[in-house]
Amino acid sequence: MANRWINQLTDRDVTDEAIYLNRRQIIGGAAAGLGLAGLGQGAMAQEGLTPNDYEDITQYNNYYEFGTDKGDPAKYADALTTAPWTVSIEGMVDKPGDYAFEDIMKAMTVEERIYRLRCVEAWSMVVPWNGFELADLLNMAGVQSGAKYVAFETAYRPEEMPGLRFPVLDWPYVEGLRLDEAMHPLTIMATGIYGRDIPNQNGAPLRLVVPWKYGFKSIKSVVRITLTDKQPPTSWNKAGPREYGFYSNVNPEVSHPRWSQADERPIGGGLFARRQPTLMFNGYEEEVVGLYKGMDLTANF
Ligand SMILES: Nc1nc2c(c(=O)[nH]1)N[C@H]1C(S)=C(S)[C@@H](COP(=O)(O)O)O[C@H]1N2
Ligand SMILES: [Mo]
C-alpha cells in the first residue's frame, strides 16, 4: 500500500554498504516504484536523513537481557535462538493463537523505513529498517471493538540471555501502546536493517519500532502481543515511575528528572560530533500530534 510515509525512503543506495538484499527484506513493490514524484508536503521534513553505518547500528545497542554495556548485545546476543519463532497474539482478538514467524512474513508486506531513533539517554541514530506495519499484523488477528491498548513481551530465556541474572528490570521486558498509537502507519515491526535480516542484538527476529517515542518503547524480540482494555504495565515505568511514563513521546521541552532532553548526541559522528537539537515527537510531529490532542504532555510524559 502506497501511503504518505513513503517519504521515509531516500535515494541512498543500500549496496554502498556492500550488503546484498535479502529476499525476505526486499522493499515492497509499491514503495520502490513510487519515487520522488509521490512526495507530498510532509515528505520534505524527512528528506536528507542519512542512515548511520551498519557498524554503528549493530555494535552500539541497548538490549539489557544481554548486559548493560553498549557492546554487550553484539557480544552475547548470538546465543539467542531465533528459529523457530512464534508470536502469540492474545486477548481481545478474533483469531488468537501462536503465529509462526515464517507465516507472518508470508502475509505481510515488508518495506524500508528510514527512521530517527532517539534514546531517552539522549543519543540518537538514523536506522534504515525493513519491516511491516503493526496495523497489518493486528488486523490479521482481528482486533475486537473493546480493545484499547496493546501489550508486548520480549522472550525470556535465562539460558540464552546472560543479563537476566541481574535484576536491572523486572523480566521479561514488557511494553505497551494505546491502540491508536499501535495502529498508526508509522508504527512498524522491524525484521531487517539495510536489507539484511535484523541482527539478534537489534531484536531478531522481529521488534517494535515507534519512531516518535523514546527508544525503550521499541521492544525487541517480541513473543507475545496482547490486546486489552487496560493500560498495560511497562518495564521502565515499573522500574522508575517518576522518570519513565507510559507515553514516553520524544519531547525536548520535558526534561528527564536527571537530565535535559533538549538535545542529543548523534552516534557515529566521532568523538567531537556536535550535539543536535531534539525535535518534537522526534521529527514526526506533523504525523502524530493529532493522537495527543487536548492532552497535557508534561503530565502524560
Ligand atoms: N527487550 C528489550 N527491548 C529493548 C531494550 C531492552 O533492553 N530489552 N532496550 C530499548 C532501548 S533503551 C533502546 S534505545 C532500543 C535500542 O535499539 P537498538 O539497539 O536496535 O538501537 O531498544 C529498546 N528495546
Ligand atoms: Mo534507550
Side-chain angles (χ1 to χ4, degrees), residues 62 118-121 123 214-216:
N62 275 336
R118 171 57 158 82
C119 177
V120 74
E121 298 162 336
W123 54 264
Y214 291 118
F216 66 83

Side-chain angles (χ1 to χ4, degrees), residues 190-224:
T191 56
I193 291 173
Y194 272 119
R196 288 180 170 185
D197 284 348
I198 193 168
N200 286 3
Q201 60 265 36
N202 294 90
L206 81 171
R207 60 86 63 83
L208 182 68
V209 177
V210 195
W212 72 93
K213 292 178 179 284
Y214 291 118
F216 66 83
K217 297 293 291 183
S218 293
I219 182 175
K220 295 179 171 181
S221 306
V222 170
V223 292
R224 192 189 317 279

Side-chain angles (χ1 to χ4, degrees), residues 80-297:
L80 183 67
T81 312
T82 59
W85 191 274
T86 57
V87 181
S88 173
I89 308 185
E90 304 174 2
M92 303 173 80
V93 289
D94 295 332
K95 288 169 277 182
D98 291 336
Y99 290 80
F101 177 68
E102 294 301 322
D103 295 337
I104 291 173
M105 289 303 271
K106 272 182 224 149
M108 297 292 120
T109 305
V110 173
E111 50 182 294
E112 184 179 57
R113 297 286 181 95
I114 299 174
Y115 284 162
R116 294 186 188 84
L117 172 78
R118 171 57 158 82
C119 177
V120 74
E121 298 162 336
W123 54 264
S124 67
M125 292 195 205
V126 176
V127 184
W129 303 108
N130 308 92
F132 54 84
E133 291 184 12
L134 175 61
D136 291 342
L137 181 63
L138 298 181
N139 287 333
M140 185 171 89
V143 178
Q144 295 182 341
S145 60
K148 293 196 179 76
Y149 295 91
V150 187
F152 303 86
E153 191 177 310
T154 294
Y156 177 80
R157 307 256 185 85
E159 325 74 46
E160 299 181 358
M161 296 170 152
L164 295 184
R165 281 183 276 136
F166 308 101
V168 195
L169 292 170
D170 179 17
W171 312 110
Y173 197 101
V174 289
E175 257 306 333
L177 295 173
R178 227 169 50 189
L179 183 61
D180 58 347
E181 298 175 323
M183 295 300 245
H184 193 283
L186 280 179
T187 304
I188 61 168
M189 296 301 294
T191 56
I193 291 173
Y194 272 119
R196 288 180 170 185
D197 284 348
I198 193 168
N200 286 3
Q201 60 265 36
N202 294 90
L206 81 171
R207 60 86 63 83
L208 182 68
V209 177
V210 195
W212 72 93
K213 292 178 179 284
Y214 291 118
F216 66 83
K217 297 293 291 183
S218 293
I219 182 175
K220 295 179 171 181
S221 306
V222 170
V223 292
R224 192 189 317 279
I225 298 176
T226 309
L227 279 290
T228 165
D229 57 359
K230 293 187 184 59
Q231 183 177 299
T234 60
S235 284
W236 280 102
N237 178 251
K238 283 193 283 178
R242 247 176 30 85
E243 304 197 343
Y244 310 101
F246 176 79
Y247 283 95
S248 295
N249 293 315
V250 174
N251 189 339
E253 287 153 29
V254 177
S255 299
H256 185 281
R258 290 182 279 133
W259 59 85
S260 161
Q261 295 291 23
D263 60 15
E264 64 201 41
R265 178 173 59 95
I267 299 301
L271 211 52
F272 303 103
R274 251 186 305 159
R275 295 182 75 85
Q276 61 189 32
T278 289
L279 303 172
M280 188 63 193
F281 293 109
N282 204 25
Y284 303 97
E285 179 171 16
E286 190 187 335
E287 289 92 337
V288 303
V289 70
L291 295 172
Y292 308 105
K293 237 175 93 186
M295 262 179 70
D296 178 347
L297 298 176

